[in-house]
């Protein structure tokens, strides 16, 4: 056998280095401190994944924990706007510094690096995946809980996050429509293939609460999320209604002012959640 060049792409041998499972996990910045990491995922866009991510960070922060949000949805970043953060992220010789919100939640998003936050991100998948990885390896996080707002679907950027970050678990966000079972199944299968524990499912836009009589109005019909969760033996963590007040505060960049607690039991579960690691 010829001398090994450590370039497996040009080699036909079945050596131990080639056949042994390889970990692609990356170490965080040496100056960083990170506790538990939870990814918030969805099988499709438009289900309120970023809204759920933001609310989990806010509620966990109110419990006294230091929290942060890594915005991995590079082509559709909405986290900074929800928190009313528009300044540029800075850095020093140690790495990049996350931007802090009004209450002290740490954020990192591509929008905090662009000259104009309305500029589109016209990058190909590998470049986007590299940026997301850098948000983990280069940023000086100091958090007890880091929430990763994942891009929708199961593409290469989501794969980069699953492979590079040592996620303790994922929360799947879905809406009540009929196709929810297929959407949830895609997210579940990807998490299982990457050996990431699933905390459970959050159903968003479950109903509209009538302001006059308090009746729950299922605008999208009876939710199918419970059946989908049961089919995969994972818990339905919460049902979030459509709330105009939450939408308005998000548009104003004041999501930290929202007082709804539909996800209150979820943060309690996350505090106690033990990963397989």
């Amino acid at each position: 056998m010829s001398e090994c060049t450590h370039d497996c792409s040009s080699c036909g041998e079945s050596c131990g280095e080639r056949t042994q499972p390889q970990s692609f996990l990356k170490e965080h910045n040496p100056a960083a401190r990170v506790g538990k990491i939870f990814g918030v995922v969805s099988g499709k866009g438009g289900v309120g994944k970023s809204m759920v991510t933001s609310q989990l960070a806010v509620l966990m922060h109110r419990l006294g924990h230091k929290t942060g949000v890594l915005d991995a949805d590079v082509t559709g970043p909405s986290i900074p706007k929800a928190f009313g953060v528009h300044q540029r992220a800075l850095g020093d010789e140690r790495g990049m510094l996350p931007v802090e919100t009004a209450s002290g939640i740490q954020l990192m998003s591509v929008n905090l690096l662009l000259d104009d936050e309305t500029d589109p991100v016209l990058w190909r998948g590998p470049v986007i995946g590299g940026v997301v990885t850098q948000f983990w390896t280069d940023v000086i996080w100091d958090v007890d809980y880091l929430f990763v707002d994942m891009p929708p679907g199961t593409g290469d950027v989501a794969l980069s996050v699953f492979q590079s970050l040592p996620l303790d678990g994922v929360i799947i966000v879905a809406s009540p429509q009929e196709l929810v079972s297929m959407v949830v199944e895609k997210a579940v299968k990807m998490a299982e293939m990457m050996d990431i524990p699933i905390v459970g499912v959050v159903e968003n836009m479950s109903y509209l609460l009538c302001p006059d009589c308090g009746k729950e109005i299922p605008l999208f019909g009876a939710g199918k999320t419970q059946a989908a969760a049961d089919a995969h033996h994972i818990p339905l963590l919460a049902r979030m209604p459509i709330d105009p007040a939450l939408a308005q505060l998000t548009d104003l960049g004041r999501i930290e002012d929202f007082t709804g607690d539909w996800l209150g039991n979820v943060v309690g579960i996350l505090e106690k959640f033990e990963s397989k690691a």
Side-chain angles (χ1 to χ4, degrees):
M1 185 174 69
S2 60
E3 183 179 355
C4 180
T5 63
H6 301 287
D7 180 9
C8 296
S9 63
S10 62
C11 176
E13 299 293 336
S14 297
C15 62
E17 184 173 332
R18 186 185 185 94
T19 57
Q20 291 298 316
Q22 297 184 46
S23 172
F24 295 97
L25 292 177
K26 306 292 185 182
E27 294 289 337
H28 60 59
N29 188 302
R33 182 191 66 86
V34 181
K36 293 183 179 180
I37 312 170
F38 292 100
V40 183
V41 307
S42 63
K44 65 182 291 293
V47 298
K49 172 179 50 60
S50 297
M51 184 87 72
V52 172
T53 304
S54 302
Q55 279 293 285
L56 288 174
V58 169
L59 291 172
M60 193 68 83
H61 185 71
R62 287 177 185 166
L63 292 176
H65 302 292
K66 300 184 75 171
T67 63
V69 179
L70 190 162
D71 189 356
D73 193 355
V74 175
T75 58
S78 56
I79 294 296
K81 177 176 174 55
F83 285 92
V85 172
H86 303 287
Q87 65 264 43
R88 295 283 298 276
L90 303 175
D92 57 27
E93 67 280 358
R94 301 173 302 160
M96 289 190 289
L97 299 170
V99 174
E100 290 197 359
T101 69
S103 70
I105 296 172
Q106 298 174 30
L107 307 180
M108 181 51 68
S109 170
V110 72
N111 263 17
L112 304 177
L113 304 176
L114 299 175
D115 291 329
D116 185 338
E117 62 185 25
T118 63
D119 287 344
V121 178
L122 302 177
W123 301 337
R124 295 194 182 276
V127 176
I128 296 175
V131 170
V132 171
T133 301
Q134 283 187 289
F135 286 170
W136 169 246
T137 61
D138 294 5
V139 175
I140 307 172
W141 298 101
D142 180 18
V143 293
D144 303 310
Y145 291 89
L146 181 64
F147 294 97
V148 183
D149 185 23
M150 301 277 285
T154 55
D156 52 357
V157 181
L159 180 61
S160 293
V161 174
F162 277 129
Q163 289 183 324
S164 302
L165 277 64
L167 297 174
D168 289 281
V170 295
I171 298 101
I172 299 171
V173 181
S175 57
Q177 287 95 329
E178 182 68 38
L179 54 78
V180 69
S181 57
M182 180 185 69
V183 171
V184 170
E185 186 167 2
K186 285 180 178 292
V188 168
K189 285 186 175 180
M190 184 171 192
E192 290 176 344
M193 290 173 66
M194 302 306 298
D195 199 28
I196 306 295
I198 301 171
V199 182
V201 183
V202 171
E203 182 181 86
N204 190 31
M205 299 181 287
S206 298
Y207 57 90
L208 176 67
L209 197 64
C210 177
D212 295 323
C213 66
K215 180 181 178 181
E216 294 184 5
I217 304 171
L219 295 181
F220 299 106
K224 305 295 190 296
T225 310
Q226 182 68 70
D230 291 343
H232 295 284
H233 309 290
I234 54 179
L236 176 61
L237 301 171
R239 296 173 63 243
M240 293 182 62
I242 298 172
D243 191 320
L246 176 56
Q248 182 180 33
L249 286 172
T250 302
D251 289 340
L252 294 173
R254 293 169 46 200
I255 196 167
E256 290 165 293
D257 294 340
F258 186 65
T259 57
D261 62 350
W262 303 299
L263 297 175
N265 70 306
V266 181
V267 293
I269 292 171
L270 296 182
E271 284 184 307
K272 301 174 183 177
F273 190 79
E274 297 291 339
S275 68
K276 292 185 295 184

